Amino acid sequence: MERLPASHPELRLLERAAGREDAGEAALDEITSPVFVVREHGQVVAAAGYRAWPSRTAHIGVLTAPGARGRGLARVTGSATVAHALAAGLLPQWRARPPASRRVAAVLGFEELGSQLSVDIAG
């Protein structure tokens, strides 16, 4: 496990590899904490961090490269991020919409408290 600043260019490479939709869900470009990463063959293949929100909340974002998924890397980086947030006195929050993200959140002990509905009103 390695720490990188949220502005590190290798994180942008991971976002491009993961695709626009997954990168948008993870929102690594909005993280205010250190980013916890796993490398394979020198490349960042998984990353997680959080954005500090009001009321001492840590909004967690996790992203894994498509070729590295299904091996527990989101769990590893997510766990390090949760530990960092708790040590900073923050309440970790995981918005998990995709099923894989929901599974990782559950493994890390998060409980599902509700759902989010977004509507685009053409006008």
Side-chain angles (χ1 to χ4, degrees):
M1 182 86 56
E2 179 183 345
R3 284 187 190 193
L4 295 177
S7 62
H8 200 283
E10 289 185 82
L11 298 173
R12 306 299 75 86
L13 295 174
L14 173 60
E15 289 171 322
R16 283 196 287 283
R20 177 179 277 165
E21 186 175 338
D22 288 345
E25 181 71 24
L28 294 181
D29 58 337
E30 298 177 9
I31 288 173
T32 58
S33 73
V35 181
F36 297 89
V37 303
V38 172
R39 291 180 185 271
E40 287 186 351
H41 309 292
Q43 290 186 301
V44 173
V45 294
Y50 62 83
R51 179 178 177 192
W53 275 13
S55 301
R56 305 210 37 86
T57 302
H59 182 69
I60 296 172
V62 178
L63 186 62
T64 304
R69 293 180 182 166
R71 299 185 320 207
L73 300 179
R75 181 185 47 79
V76 169
T77 57
S79 178
T81 299
V82 169
H84 187 275
L86 290 171
L90 301 175
L91 175 64
Q93 168 187 287
W94 190 304
R95 181 186 68 195
R97 290 185 284 205
S101 182
R102 292 170 77 172
R103 286 190 297 273
V104 173
V107 166
L108 293 178
F110 286 87
E111 292 184 29
E112 195 165 325
L113 297 177
S115 60
Q116 176 180 337
L117 174 65
S118 299
V119 179
D120 184 13
I121 300 174

